[in-house]
């Protein structure tokens, strides 16, 4: 199950290995479709990857800090540093490829 986090929770978790941050909006159709894809991605990687859902509207500090200007935006972080980014609705193979390239 994907976990929606606050800014504080995000900052506590972001340095723990490989983290995929999903910046989304509750009113965004592609964001909702991406959640189904990310559920599958999460099953594939298990404990090797944490997926955090960050509400674009509720966490303006994080969206500013990471320069997120639209949604959905996926940011892959390794030990707290950004290593890759994708914007818009993505397919599972593209997301998996991005993650595997930075494992």
């Amino acid at each position: 199950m994907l976990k929606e986090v606050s800014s504080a929770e995000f900052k506590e978790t972001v340095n723990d290995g490989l983290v995929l941050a999903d910046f989304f909006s509750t009113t965004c159709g592609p964001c909702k479709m991406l959640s189904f894809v990310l559920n599958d991605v999460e099953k594939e990687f298990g404990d090797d990857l944490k997926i955090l859902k960050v509400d674009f509207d509720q966490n303006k500090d994080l969206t500013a800090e990471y320069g997120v200007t639209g949604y959905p935006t996926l940011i892959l972080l390794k030990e707290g540093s950004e290593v890759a980014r994708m914007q818009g609705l993505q397919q599972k193979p593209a997301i998996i490829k991005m993650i595997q390239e930075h494992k």
Side-chain angles (χ1 to χ4, degrees), residues 13-32:
T13 312
V14 75
N15 294 317
D16 296 346
L18 209 53
V19 174
L20 184 63
D22 171 23
F23 286 83
F24 75 100
S25 170
T26 54
T27 59
C28 162
C31 298
K32 291 175 183 154

Side-chain angles (χ1 to χ4, degrees), residues 29-49:
C31 298
K32 291 175 183 154
M33 293 177 359
L34 184 60
S35 285
F36 292 109
V37 175
L38 293 177
N39 276 321
D40 285 347
V41 169
E42 186 178 48
K43 288 176 193 148
E44 187 131 340
F45 287 96
D47 292 337
D48 294 340
L49 174 73

Side-chain angles (χ1 to χ4, degrees), residues 66-86:
Y66 286 93
V68 177
T69 55
Y71 44 77
T73 296
L74 295 174
I75 299 178
L76 185 64
L77 302 132
K78 189 171 188 175
E79 307 300 334
S81 297
E82 181 177 335
V83 293
R85 177 183 294 232
M86 293 177 143

Side-chain angles (χ1 to χ4, degrees), residues 38-65:
L38 293 177
N39 276 321
D40 285 347
V41 169
E42 186 178 48
K43 288 176 193 148
E44 187 131 340
F45 287 96
D47 292 337
D48 294 340
L49 174 73
K50 287 187 183 83
I51 299 178
L52 304 177
K53 295 189 63 65
V54 181
D55 188 319
F56 190 88
D57 301 309
Q58 303 286 323
N59 298 284
K60 296 284 189 196
D61 58 329
L62 288 177
T63 58
E65 184 178 335

